[in-house]
Amino acid sequence: MAVTVDKQELEKTSGNGAHSDVVVAVRGLTKVFKDFWGRSKARAVNDVDFEVYRGEVFGLLGPNGSGKSTTIKMLLGLLYPTKGHIEVFGHSPRHVATKSRIGYLPEESYLYRYLDSRETLDFFGNLFRLSPEDRKERITQLLEMVGLAQTQTRVVGEFSKGMQRRIGLAQALINDPDLVILDEPTAGLDPIGCREIKDLIVSLARRGKTVILSSHLLADVEDVCDRVVVYFGGRIHAMGTLKELLATPDSIRMTMPALPKETLERVLEIIRRDVADDRIHIDTPEQSLESYFLDIVEKARGEALETSGALSGGTVAPYLRGESEQERKQRVLERLTHTGEKTAEEEKAPSEKHEVKEEVLNKLMEQERKAAERPLESGTKDKEKEEKEAQREKVDLSKANEKLSSLTKRERED
Amino acid sequence: MQQILAIARLTFRAAYRFKLVLILSLVLLGGVVLLPLVLEGDGTAQGFAQIVITYTLSITAALLAISTLWLACGTLAGDVEYGTIQTITVKPVSRWRVWLGKWLGVMILNAVLLGLAGAFTFGAMKWRATKLPPEQRQVLDNEVLVSRASAKPPVPELDKAVDQLTKQRLEESSAADLNEELLRQQIRIQLEAQIQTVPPKYSRRWMIDLGAAADDVRDQPLFLRVKFQTSRSMMETLESIIYDTAWRVGPVDSPSTWRTNRSLTANAFHEIRIPAGMLDNEGKLRVEVGNPNDEALMFPLDNGIEVLYREASFGVNFIRGLLIIYFWIGLLAAVGLAAASFLSFPVAAFCSVTILILGMSTGLMSRVVSEGTVLGVNHETGEAGSSFIDWFAVPFFKAVLEVVGFAKGFSPIDALSTGTSIPWSEVGLAFFRLIMVMSGFAAALGMIIFTRRELATAQLSR
């Protein structure tokens, strides 16, 4: 299975040599905003270093004005660093060709107000030199994905902020980018939209895409990021995987069905032998507001209530999910014929040979498709996993908040 | 190309969706069709040309010039201001392509509008021509709604003679303080006057070479366009004084030589129709004028006498004229975009309008440059004023004139209203100078600045 994918990836990253896994490298990055006379006005980013690897979801975390957006704009070549060095796919951020591998959702919807959603996507598709057929196919899939298939003829200027975000997201993905940069992706979105974006991010990462997202909403970051940096005042104050950052090794938490009182007493009895009473904490896990809200909407959707706003999209656009139908066929075919490399003749495989295996092929493909789709459909996640997440959210979120506010405090004292 | 076209289409679409196209079309049609209807001509072919061609085309050009500057500044500066440019430049499209796409979009819009206005002007002209009295219609068909090229007699080479005479005069003269430059000027004026002047009771002869066109126009009637001055007419400019003239046209020993006597006013252009077949074998036209008056007639060297001949249909000429107007607008679009490449919309619009006004006030500037001061010369004392402004204004105006002079001289509207042919070579030259060189320069400047510029703003919390 990995044969074709790897080959493609290899081709794309060729020229990076040893750093084929480093997508973004930032060293000593500093940005000083100057006024008209060239006097320093603000040091927005101050001596920042980090690397982002292929396939990871990397979060830039920090309060407003801490330098997240400035960093992102420098990664995209919209701002130029005062000092330091940036490499994106081994090139300068100003390298034009590299940009065909990047998708960017700006923090505000910078869209043409007089275009409708289809025209907007068509315009950006043209900037990627996509063929008319590709554009048409992808636009339809994207509009379906972001839930705007019903509002194709309304101009973007009439859209609500959330709907504009959705179009913004669609334009960021039209080139099937290898690196997706999302600046405050969930700002202005309803909880369903947030959930869908998070699902999308996870599914992109699963396909080996790299995602960089900035946010001050901790829940967003925590749900999807593999690694985060925490910004404050233009500097990085913490960096690492969420596990490293959030683990509190000196305490544990157990979750189980409610116990009879006697049993619980007995358990506590045992625990009290080792731990003082005031350090034990017992409660009933609550459902998070997010999952509660999603439940209600899910029910309403089951009753098919009408809405004039954005519909929930749900499934990720097929082309973003992976290969096209044909590629998938090719891949299965390859596995069946056990050839690592295909020659030109083999590509134009004789039709009889093809037909013989068509049936088997389709069955295999069906299986594969199911396997690929299952984890992506929102709302059909494992109950178990969801519960676990909901709990972790509660505890870890407060920890992270504490951490951040202590940082803020320290900085102020400085 | 796909990218450039996408941006061009977007630019056009923006103008269309914001109803700019609709409003401009209406204003143009109002200016081109309705207003001329309100203005009554004086019933002559010249008055007709004045209103229908000069007036409407000038209005069209002025409206398009202003809307182009506005749109060119707005489309780029607006994108930067609203941040939409951020979504574009993170795509794999070079910034020069963005710039070029914008220019192309503005030019597509202008092509549509100019085409529209041109078609209506042409239609209105044909229609109004039917309302003229018959004899004026004939004049119109012969002199205005035509495309006539002109041939002039060769301008005599005077430099050598001037040199020689100056030298001679200096040698003869004993005065040590003789200003050589002044002397040279005076000698030149004298010589020119000698050539231009037809003394009383004398006649004067020109040989006008029609060159390559001779064979095509041999069987057509030609038109002699003449203008002369006299010492009396130059002093009393308000009064038109009439002089008798006798003309003889055609090969000297041919029996078909054509003669006519005309009473003509001084200081004005006159056209004399010459029957076909007057060219000699070498394609030259021999023209002789007799002066029976008691005053000398003076035919200016530059426009005293020329032969006009049909070169193409008026329709073709009209299109060539519109093309040159189009090139002018292309230059303005490039200037507007170049300004918007580094300035915000209001500042860019202000700057480019200033440039437009500066370009149009060359008369004032050339006076300042020739007098060497902005304060002007007191013509009674001959004393020139002086001001510290001169220190930079004079060289600045000089530079502006150099630049404008490179582009000026293309005046398609004048040519169209006098039925003068605009040769393809001039259209080509206009394209080269206005689009390739000047717009190219503005574009290069704009693209370089735009490419180097940071397109996102500092969004800092306060």
Side-chain angles (χ1 to χ4, degrees), chain B residues 86-127:
Chain B
Q86 294 185 32
T87 333
I88 291 185
T89 48
V90 298
K91 306 284 186 271
V93 47
S94 320
R95 293 195 186 171
W96 68 265
R97 284 203 166 89
V98 177
W99 203 99
L100 194 62
K102 297 261 176 205
W103 185 79
L104 215 59
V106 175
M107 291 313 284
I108 292 173
L109 176 70
N110 276 320
V112 170
L113 291 177
L114 188 62
L116 205 69
F120 269 91
T121 305
F122 198 79
M125 194 168 55
K126 289 279 177 193
W127 178 71

Side-chain angles (χ1 to χ4, degrees), chain A residues 301-338:
Chain A
R301 200 183 291 151
E303 291 159 21
L305 296 179
E306 269 188 32
T307 169
S308 65
L311 288 168
S312 151
T315 50
V316 175
Y319 81 90
L320 286 174
R321 234 183 285 148
E323 324 85 298
S324 67
E325 207 73 5
Q326 213 172 357
E327 277 174 323
R328 205 153 51 217
K329 247 179 205 176
Q330 186 70 44
R331 202 187 59 203
V332 179
L333 194 69
E334 263 167 40
R335 212 169 39 185
L336 286 172
T337 50
H338 293 293

Side-chain angles (χ1 to χ4, degrees), chain B residues 106-155:
Chain B
V106 175
M107 291 313 284
I108 292 173
L109 176 70
N110 276 320
V112 170
L113 291 177
L114 188 62
L116 205 69
F120 269 91
T121 305
F122 198 79
M125 194 168 55
K126 289 279 177 193
W127 178 71
R128 284 182 67 125
T130 59
K131 311 253 157 182
L132 281 177
E135 73 275 13
Q136 286 300 328
R137 257 194 96 176
Q138 190 163 10
V139 177
L140 190 73
D141 287 342
N142 279 330
E143 296 182 11
V144 180
L145 298 186
V146 287
S147 166
R148 296 182 303 180
S150 87
K152 292 179 184 174
V155 178

